[in-house]
Amino acid sequence: QVQLVESGGGLVQPGGSLRLSCVASGIILGVNSMDWYRQAPGKLPGLGELVATITIGGSANYADSVKGRFTISRDNDKNTVFLQMNSLKPEDTAVYYCKARILGGNPPYLNDYWGQGTQVTVSS
């Protein structure tokens, strides 16, 4: 009843940029926090890194590893969260997932929803 779909991943050279998008759709009454996580290759499932998070009011926080390079933003009217990634490094290579805390469904309840992930590869 609620679905998150990411887009925007791909292959980029070191120093390049990518912009990820994640759209929430379905029966949605409200979207609370929205986050981006990443799972690097070779890491055990469940040990992903919280990259960035943004509240409904627009307050953002970042992992130290991406501060100054990544920017999270959101469009509340479109239930969409973005991650602008600049000055990309090979160590940013990972599958990136968005997560959103959403009041939705029928009957409505508050739950965390995840997207399917989008691959970001930084390599020359």
Side-chain angles (χ1 to χ4, degrees), residues 2-58:
V2 176
Q3 186 178 17
L4 268 61
V5 178
E6 299 112 335
S7 61
L11 172 64
V12 64
Q13 292 186 341
S17 298
L18 283 175
R19 188 186 194 218
L20 306 183
S21 301
C22 174
V23 181
S25 63
I27 302 174
I28 297 173
L29 301 180
V31 181
N32 200 335
S33 59
M34 304 185 84
D35 315 316
W36 286 98
Y37 286 78
R38 65 185 179 186
Q39 181 81 31
K43 295 285 188 178
L44 291 174
L47 294 181
E49 177 187 17
L50 175 59
V51 175
T53 184
I54 186 167
T55 67
I56 190 171

Side-chain angles (χ1 to χ4, degrees), residues 12 52 63 80 105-106 109:
V12 64
T80 302
N106 188 15
Y109 64 101

Side-chain angles (χ1 to χ4, degrees), residues 49-88:
E49 177 187 17
L50 175 59
V51 175
T53 184
I54 186 167
T55 67
I56 190 171
S59 179
N61 283 286
Y62 301 90
D64 288 342
S65 57
V66 306
K67 279 181 182 176
R69 300 187 298 122
F70 291 11
T71 302
I72 189 171
S73 60
R74 61 189 287 171
D75 183 335
N76 292 332
D77 291 337
K78 296 181 179 179
N79 295 327
T80 302
V81 62
F82 306 96
L83 186 67
Q84 178 66 44
M85 305 184 295
N86 299 328
S87 302
L88 282 161

